Amino acid sequence: MKLHFHNTLGRKLQEFESLEPGRVGMYCCGPTVYHYAHIGNLRTYVNEDFLRRALEYAGYAVNHVVNITDVGHLTSDADDGDDKMEKGAAREGRTVWEIAAHYTEAFLRDWQRLNLLQPTHWPKATDYIPQQISLVQELESRGYAYRTSDALYFDTEKFAAYGDFAGIKMDKLLAGVRVDLGDKKNPTDFALWKISPKDKRRAMEWESPWGVGFPGWHVECSAMSTALIGKTLDIHCGGTDHIRVHHTNEIAQSECAHDGVPFARFWLHNEFLKTEDSDKMSKSSGEFLTLQVLVDRGFHALDYRYFCATAHYRKFLTFSWPNLESARDAHRAFRRRTAPLVAAFQASQVPSATLPGDAKIWQDRFEEALGQDLNIPKALGVAQTLARETALTEALRGRLLLDWDRVLGLSLEVSLPEPEAEAVDDDEAARIDALVAARTVARESKNWPEADRIRKELADLKVVVTDTPTGPTWKKA
Ligand code: AMP
Ligand code: ZN
């Protein structure tokens, strides 16, 4: 089985081969545990799980590393702003360590609920301070670092390939942008080690050759990936927002510390989960939805996983309650179809060794979809079609579907509780009736902005409106 991935490095589809036959070293940038992960973050981890599973399906043993950022980095990529962990601690009246423990635990719970495979390693940044210090020392001894009053910076001008990965033209950047550089020599230079002010103790700080302080954000990924995988990674993943700064800086640090040894061979970047109003769901924007909010509204975590499977990882996926509801309906219909097939397979004891020719065609289709840049929506479509394909026996279809579920990760052998419709009290029902009536008026008078506003309001209330010949009807999802 051949896998092809769109490699951000070179920006083209490329056949995947690992450095070491049969083994893949895969590093995925993990969460900063100062708050709950939102469902946009989780989309990225679900897509990375599809990737991990597809690699294993193709026969690779995967050394999968996901870091936990528990050091309080600064809220801006430009090395200033507030410390995220300290902000979290102040918000909740707890210590930074309590904040880290609490949100790490919440993150791991989401991970499990989404049926994501456990990484081989979950390194915490605070457990790898010595490795980070020695990486920074390597860079300093090779002449890539310079000191200012408050930090040791990486000098991006010394790494000629700095802008290549993100396609940044350095001369244009330097000429075109007016930024307050502070003590930095170039706008793209970034902190390797931040030195604490003399008169202020930080909640998290460590001794170092440059003074008490803490490592720059990008340093941990370079240090931990080398420690747990090696100098060259087969695959490095993250969201598209990381290309320009975080991953560009990881490459610069790792390759300069390792005498030009390539840092990662394949870079896969996940496009964002967006909302209807914004291209990015983020913690700072109003739309901060967690998996728990979805569960509280009656969705199963696997409904969200299925929703993620409906879009290719390099395409935006738009979150709205009606979109999630449609995915849930499709997911539940799929399970209703597959349950008897899986049961038939489990009862039949069909030998797993060789597949009959007509089943092999289906297998090939599924694998082809995975091989084309991890086309999970297409692979899911093959599974949907197979579930309806009566030319194959139920047991054989069940066998194929269970095998494919190693990649889809929907736990098809388990039955999920049926979603419960939310109860609506009289006041809310009256309000919804009024909104639906106003929607009809707005549409009849072609007042589209008003119709759109009402549509959004109804969606927020989780109301699904269906137009029938006798007028609209509604139900709560
Ligand atoms: P963070 O905790 O902010 O570092 O984000 C964790 C991961 O989620 C990173 O790989 C981000 O690129 C990714 N991410 C952040 N926002 C979104 C979003 N709206 N949709 C998908 N991925 C996201
Ligand atoms: Zn990273």
Side-chain angles (χ1 to χ4, degrees), residues 421-438:
E422 213 177 88
V424 186
D425 65 29
D426 289 350
D427 285 350
E428 193 182 6
R431 186 173 157 214
I432 295 170
D433 282 339
L435 277 170
V436 172

Side-chain angles (χ1 to χ4, degrees), residues 16-28 51-52 55 60-66 120-121 225 228-237 263-268:
F16 178 73
E17 266 179 36
S18 57
L19 207 54
E20 218 187 299
R23 293 180 172 278
V24 173
M26 165 164 150
Y27 186 90
C28 302
L51 172 62
R52 150 97 183 262
L55 289 162
Y60 290 103
V62 183
N63 178 8
H64 181 200
V65 180
V66 183
T120 325
H121 302 280
S225 62
L228 296 167
I229 298 177
K231 287 182 182 166
T232 301
L233 318 174
D234 286 300
I235 303 182
H236 194 315
C237 304
F263 175 46
R265 301 170 55 248
F266 280 79
W267 288 86
L268 272 68

Side-chain angles (χ1 to χ4, degrees), residues 53-294:
R53 287 168 174 272
L55 289 162
E56 290 188 346
Y57 190 86
Y60 290 103
V62 183
N63 178 8
H64 181 200
V65 180
V66 183
N67 65 305
I68 302 273
T69 302
D70 56 351
V71 173
H73 295 298
L74 305 179
T75 42
S76 111
D77 279 335
D79 296 315
D80 52 23
D82 300 326
D83 175 314
K84 286 184 186 171
M85 297 297 296
E86 289 189 1
K87 234 175 124 179
R91 184 183 64 227
E92 297 179 24
R94 303 199 226 187
T95 68
V96 283
W97 299 99
E98 285 165 350
I99 290 291
H102 174 76
Y103 289 110
T104 302
E105 201 180 298
F107 182 74
L108 300 185
R109 197 165 55 240
D110 287 350
W111 193 274
Q112 196 209 343
R113 290 196 287 191
L114 288 164
N115 200 23
L116 309 183
L117 297 177
Q118 284 297 316
T120 325
H121 302 280
W122 279 118
K124 286 184 187 161
T126 50
D127 288 339
Y128 282 77
I129 299 295
Q131 290 84 344
Q132 296 181 63
I133 291 179
S134 67
L135 175 81
V136 177
Q137 282 177 309
E138 289 290 341
L139 290 169
E140 191 181 34
S141 69
R142 286 167 163 76
Y144 290 104
Y146 64 90
R147 259 310 267 274
T148 67
S149 56
D150 68 337
L152 187 78
Y153 279 102
F154 184 95
D155 187 348
T156 51
E157 221 173 62
K158 296 252 168 79
F159 180 46
Y162 182 79
D164 292 358
F165 183 63
I168 310 170
K169 291 264 177 289
M170 295 299 285
D171 44 349
K172 279 213 183 116
L173 184 79
L174 298 179
V177 190
R178 281 163 58 106
V179 283
D180 179 11
L181 284 181
D183 288 344
K184 288 203 295 189
K185 291 205 245 170
N186 307 295
T188 44
D189 293 354
F190 55 92
L192 294 167
W193 189 266
K194 287 285 260 187
I195 302 161
S196 303
K198 291 254 174 314
D199 53 346
K200 193 176 159 240
R201 282 214 56 128
R202 294 173 48 86
M204 278 184 176
E205 53 187 11
W206 295 266
E207 294 283 348
S208 86
W210 312 282
V212 173
F214 63 101
W217 168 39
H218 318 293
V219 178
E220 71 180 79
C221 289
S222 288
M224 299 195 292
S225 62
T226 308
L228 296 167
I229 298 177
K231 287 182 182 166
T232 301
L233 318 174
D234 286 300
I235 303 182
H236 194 315
C237 304
T240 47
D241 56 333
H242 284 342
I243 298 173
R244 197 161 188 289
V245 178
H246 182 51
H247 290 164
T248 290
N249 292 350
E250 284 185 30
I251 294 172
Q253 293 164 158
S254 299
E255 298 195 354
C256 292
H258 299 149
D259 300 319
V261 172
F263 175 46
R265 301 170 55 248
F266 280 79
W267 288 86
L268 272 68
H269 284 101
N270 292 282
E271 194 43 274
F272 277 156
L273 179 76
K274 67 191 278 297
T275 62
E276 283 173 329
D277 305 321
S278 150
D279 270 358
K280 185 182 182 207
M281 178 173 287
S282 68
K283 290 195 178 71
S284 47
S285 77
E287 277 309 321
F288 179 30
L289 292 171
T290 59
L291 188 62
Q292 188 58 45
V293 171
L294 271 47

Side-chain angles (χ1 to χ4, degrees), residues 308-362:
C308 293
T310 60
H312 188 256
Y313 76 93
R314 294 187 59 228
K315 300 245 164 69
F316 280 108
L317 172 61
T318 304
F319 178 83
S320 69
W321 291 107
N323 288 356
L324 182 62
E325 274 144 23
S326 309
R328 174 179 64 194
D329 293 348
H331 175 210
R332 299 311 178 98
F334 180 55
R335 294 187 94 91
R336 279 194 290 278
R337 244 174 253 124
T338 54
L341 310 178
V342 168
F345 168 62
Q346 284 167 338
S348 74
Q349 319 231 307
V350 175
S352 306
T354 49
L355 275 179
D358 45 355
K360 179 81 177 55
I361 296 167
W362 286 93

